[in-house]
Amino acid sequence: MLKKIDLYILVQIMKSCSLIFFIFLSIAWLLQLTRLFTLTNLIQIDIFNVIYLSIFLIPNLLMVIIPFILIFGILLCFIKLNKDKEIIAIFSLGMEIKPIRYSLIIFSALIIIFQMFLTSYISPKIYEKYKIKEFQLRNTIDFDKMITSNFLNLNNKITLDFEKEDGSFKEIFINFFDNGENIIYAKKG
């Protein structure tokens, strides 16, 4: 059974870790979102589709940032407890380190259970959906919306270049690899 002091320390740890969680998750998600926005500039994909696609990255981002959340969240919590002289109050009541230890054990157990569930179940399922949706976005290119005339690497095997003029394509260059290197050039298409 949790005593009030154990519950108080546990709540303080959760508050600090949730603050760090939202800060780190926001930064990591925005970095991944900007990486995905390169798709919108290059092949003119709708921005809302890219934002929707980036939401599927959150479980994988969580797997990476949870250790940092724990480190900085617990550090922030104990800095706050020290600054408010609450650690001294706990020791002066004669409780020593028991409430802190008990709260850390409970919090660690909750995080371990969450991490195991995230790693074994949630993340693989959502990442599979992410890869399918990313593949669909990359392979449903509307060439009428494409505004670039630079070389375009669609994947490791296909490179193309063209100029769009009055609804038709000119100076079309396609380089692709199957058994060897193949080059296709057309003045009009």
Side-chain angles (χ1 to χ4, degrees), residues 132-146:
I132 290 169
K133 291 191 180 298
E134 183 184 37
F135 181 77
Q136 289 171 348
L137 277 179
R138 287 183 185 267
N139 291 320
T140 54
I141 298 171
D142 186 6
F143 287 104
D144 292 331
K145 289 184 178 180
M146 195 173 283

Side-chain angles (χ1 to χ4, degrees), residues 111-163:
I111 292 297
I112 288 170
I113 290 169
F114 176 72
Q115 182 77 9
M116 287 173 39
F117 186 66
L118 183 70
T119 304
S120 63
Y121 184 71
I122 295 173
S123 185
K125 295 230 182 252
I126 298 218
Y127 190 70
E128 180 182 354
K129 289 180 183 178
Y130 165 76
K131 290 309 274 183
I132 290 169
K133 291 191 180 298
E134 183 184 37
F135 181 77
Q136 289 171 348
L137 277 179
R138 287 183 185 267
N139 291 320
T140 54
I141 298 171
D142 186 6
F143 287 104
D144 292 331
K145 289 184 178 180
M146 195 173 283
I147 57 172
T148 184
S149 65
N150 297 324
F151 285 97
L152 200 65
N153 288 323
L154 296 178
N155 56 28
N156 291 337
K157 296 183 178 186
I158 301 173
T159 304
L160 68 103
D161 183 35
F162 58 89
E163 292 178 14

Side-chain angles (χ1 to χ4, degrees), residues 166-183:
D166 298 327
S168 65
F169 300 104
K170 297 182 178 181
E171 304 291 329
I172 301 168
F173 172 80
I174 302 172
N175 182 14
F176 66 95
F177 295 90
D178 51 5
N179 294 334
E181 183 177 10
N182 300 306
I183 297 175

